[in-house]
């Protein structure tokens, strides 16, 4: 970048609300090149210059608000539409949505974005390795940037015109609030072909700019010829584009895992009201659940007392009452048996229900019958496993519960045991 080479003044004091802008050269910090700096104190006094090493910057200039403009060619600016505003889903979807535009592997790239209207996102894509190298070099110089943004977004934007600035043999162009590109400047200082193509595309979309502002045009630039070729007015402006420290960058690369601590603290402060609301909701939910628990406990205690009272009223001679429903069922079964009326779990009742099913299946050979615990177990033989399954279903159709205990194939037949119990509604 072209900038005065005035060296820092080590005699002035740090301003309480000072602002510092740094413009990183291409290939920095590995390659050769100087970092341009511009500093404004709270009293409005400004200083600027260039440094070969950031550690030459006075310590009292490294506090306050710091904007760092990264090499324009290192970041791609684009836009994409996604049907979500969830940060987690956006982080997952962005690499796939921009797959056709990416030059590297998605996992090696960092995606910073800004939500716009109608689900559109303004996106900046930078190699993680390059971004980390910038942050490491800044950290080594005890510089914590407030913003880290590509140089395209430092150019002025008034809503109707494009801006262009030169960096060595590279032209930096800003075409919108969140858009821009870089291209190689021809040696003869003629209009870059990329700029002509970009204007043609803008015209096809009815987004032709009113003019092009050329910042600090060097000698040899024929502004009139540029205007004729581009078919829009081209105006030269004596201005260093990257010193606009009072305007926050439209899009910062410091997102996700590269967010600085002060941004995390700000996010925490913004989430504090939501945290209070969540705490109140949890307390109210706990009170409601405790109320429900007390009410249901009271209902359960009342109903249990009613069961005990009903059991004692029905069986006044009972000595101990532990489980009223179970004891009631056993006593009723005993009364039915004692009165000559068979119960559903009696052996005769079960045999009466199973006999028709066994007689209707002549291929079933019963070898043994056992009765215990209100169930009848048949040891039998059937031709195959399908016959065993059919027999079980036939017993179930009679309202019984049939359980195949085991079944083994032997000498062309299947030997097994079926345990039959009364059905649920018997």
């Amino acid at each position: 970048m072209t900038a005065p080479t005035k060296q820092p003044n080590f005699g002035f004091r740090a301003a309480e609300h000072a602002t510092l802008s740094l413009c990183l050269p291409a290939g920095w910090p590995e390659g050769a090149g100087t970092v341009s700096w511009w500093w404004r104190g709270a009293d409005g006094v400004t200083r600027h210059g260039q440094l070969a090493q950031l550690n030459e910057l006075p310590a009292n200039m490294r506090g306050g608000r710091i904007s760092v403009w990264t090499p324009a060619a290192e970041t791609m600016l684009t836009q994409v539409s996604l049907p979500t505003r969830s940060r987690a889903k956006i982080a997952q979807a962005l690499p796939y949505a921009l797959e056709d535009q990416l030059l590297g592997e998605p996992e090696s790239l960092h995606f910073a974005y800004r939500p716009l209207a109608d689900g559109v996102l303004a996106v900046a894509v930078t190699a993680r390795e390059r971004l980390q190298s910038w942050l490491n070099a800044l950290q080594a110089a005890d510089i914590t940037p407030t913003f880290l943004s590509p140089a395209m977004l430092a150019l002025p934007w008034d809503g109707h015109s494009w801006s262009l600035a030169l960096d060595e043999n590279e032209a930096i162009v800003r075409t919108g609030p969140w858009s821009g590109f870089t291209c190689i400047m021809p040696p003869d200082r003629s209009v870059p072909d990329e700029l002509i193509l970009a204007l043609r595309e803008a015209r096809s979309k009815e987004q032709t700019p009113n003019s092009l502002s050329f910042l600090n045009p060097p000698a040899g630039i024929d502004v009139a010829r540029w205007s004729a070729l581009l078919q829009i007015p081209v105006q030269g402006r004596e201005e260093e584009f990257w010193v606009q420290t009072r305007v926050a960058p439209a899009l910062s690369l410091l997102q996700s895992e590269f967010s600085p601590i002060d941004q995390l603290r700000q996010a925490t402060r913004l989430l504090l009201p939501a945290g209070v609301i969540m705490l109140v909701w949890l307390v109210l939910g706990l009170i409601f659940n405790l109320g429900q628990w007390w009410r249901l406990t009271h209902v359960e205690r009342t109903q249990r007392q009613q069961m005990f009272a009903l059991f004692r009223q029905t069986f006044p001679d009972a000595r101990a009452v532990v489980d009223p429903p179970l004891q009631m069922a056993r006593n009723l079964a005993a009364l039915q048996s004692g009165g000559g009326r068979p119960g559903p779990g009696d052996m005769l009742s079960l045999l009466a229900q199973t006999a028709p099913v066994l007689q209707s299946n002549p291929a079933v050979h019963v070898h043994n019958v056992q009765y215990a615990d209100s169930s009848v177990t048949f040891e039998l033989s059937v031709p195959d496993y399908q016959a065993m399954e059919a027999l079980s279903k036939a017993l179930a159709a009679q309202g019984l519960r049939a359980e195949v205990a085991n079944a083994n194939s032997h000498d062309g037949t299947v030997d097994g045991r079926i345990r039959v119990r009364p059905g649920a509604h018997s």
Side-chain angles (χ1 to χ4, degrees):
M1 302 293 174
T2 58
T5 58
K6 183 177 180 179
Q7 295 300 316
N9 185 348
F10 290 83
F12 61 82
R13 299 170 58 188
E16 182 180 357
H17 299 290
T19 56
L20 173 68
S21 284
L22 300 174
C23 192
L24 308 181
W28 187 87
E30 294 83 1
T34 56
V35 177
S36 299
W37 61 272
W38 186 91
W39 186 86
R40 180 196 297 274
D43 54 2
V45 176
T46 62
R47 293 173 174 82
H48 48 81
Q50 293 181 326
L51 295 169
Q53 300 292 332
L54 278 182
N55 54 17
E56 300 175 11
L57 194 69
N60 54 2
M61 291 176 56
R62 306 178 195 186
R65 183 175 179 273
I66 301 177
S67 298
V68 178
W69 303 104
T70 61
E74 301 280 0
T75 299
M76 179 188 73
L77 297 179
T78 185
Q79 294 186 10
V80 66
S81 297
L82 292 178
T84 180
R85 278 295 182 263
S86 167
R87 290 182 178 271
K89 293 182 179 179
I90 289 176
Q92 294 176 353
L94 270 179
Y96 301 98
L98 299 174
E99 185 176 6
D100 295 340
Q101 304 180 46
L102 302 180
L103 297 180
E105 295 297 328
E107 58 271 14
S108 67
L109 302 175
H110 171 66
F111 298 85
Y113 65 89
R114 174 173 178 167
L116 307 179
D118 300 327
V120 178
L121 300 176
V123 185
V125 184
T126 309
R128 289 180 179 273
E129 183 179 359
R130 297 295 298 132
L131 180 54
Q132 191 63 63
S133 68
W134 299 331
L135 293 176
N136 290 343
L138 292 169
Q139 183 179 9
D142 195 24
I143 294 176
T144 302
T146 307
F147 302 103
L148 194 76
S149 189
M152 288 93 72
L153 300 182
L155 273 69
W157 167 254
D158 60 10
H160 303 285
S161 300
W162 290 5
S163 300
L164 183 146
L166 296 184
D167 178 16
E168 301 295 338
N169 62 340
E170 183 179 70
I172 306 174
V173 184
R174 184 172 186 178
T175 60
W178 303 282
S179 60
F181 63 92
T182 62
C183 56
I184 300 300
M185 191 69 180
D188 60 357
R189 302 299 186 181
S190 60
V191 181
D193 293 336
E194 292 88 343
L195 180 58
I196 297 175
L197 293 176
L199 275 171
R200 288 178 182 174
E201 183 178 358
R203 288 191 182 95
S204 66
K205 298 178 180 179
E206 298 182 355
Q207 299 175 355
T208 307
N210 294 341
S211 62
L212 174 67
S213 296
F214 201 135
L215 278 65
N216 287 335
I221 294 293
D222 189 345
V223 175
R225 179 172 175 77
W226 276 54
S227 299
L229 288 175
L230 298 176
Q231 301 179 12
I232 58 172
V234 178
Q235 304 168 350
R237 292 170 56 176
E238 299 297 327
E239 179 181 333
E240 290 292 350
F241 67 89
W242 52 272
V243 298
Q244 302 179 37
T245 57
R246 294 190 178 184
V247 180
L251 181 58
S252 177
L253 301 178
L254 297 179
Q255 298 184 21
S256 186
E257 69 269 30
F258 295 101
S259 299
I261 296 177
D262 57 341
Q263 288 188 347
L264 293 177
R265 289 176 178 172
Q266 181 180 4
T268 302
R269 290 195 297 269
L270 293 176
L271 291 175
L272 183 60
V276 173
I277 294 174
M278 180 64 71
L279 179 61
V280 172
W281 180 82
L282 289 175
V283 172
L284 293 177
L286 179 60
I287 294 174
F288 174 79
N289 289 334
L290 288 176
Q292 288 289 91
W293 173 83
W294 182 88
R295 184 182 68 82
L296 294 176
T297 301
H298 177 71
V299 170
E300 188 269 342
R301 187 183 303 112
T302 301
Q303 292 179 348
R304 190 166 183 81
Q305 291 173 352
Q306 292 175 351
M307 286 191 296
F308 274 87
L310 178 61
F311 182 83
R312 290 191 178 279
Q313 181 181 357
T314 307
F315 301 99
D317 296 333
R319 295 182 179 180
V321 182
V322 179
D323 190 341
L326 179 60
Q327 291 177 260
M328 179 77 76
R330 289 177 177 175
N331 289 352
L332 289 176
L335 289 174
Q336 288 178 342
S337 176
R341 180 184 175 186
D346 290 346
M347 181 177 181
L348 292 177
S349 297
L350 292 173
L351 291 177
Q353 289 180 276
T354 56
V357 177
L358 296 175
Q359 291 174 355
S360 63
N361 289 273
V364 177
H365 299 283
V366 179
H367 305 297
N368 189 20
V369 178
Q370 296 178 355
Y371 175 80
D373 298 331
S374 300
S375 65
V376 176
T377 302
F378 295 93
E379 294 183 6
L380 44 78
S381 299
V382 293
D384 49 37
Y385 288 105
Q386 289 77 11
M388 183 72 76
E389 182 68 22
L391 178 59
S392 177
K393 292 182 178 179
L395 291 170
Q398 294 294 321
L400 300 171
R401 289 185 296 172
E403 176 185 355
V404 178
N406 52 53
N408 299 308
S409 179
H410 179 69
D411 294 335
T413 61
V414 175
D415 298 330
R417 301 171 62 196
I418 291 184
R419 190 177 186 182
V420 180
R421 298 174 179 271
H425 303 290
S426 297

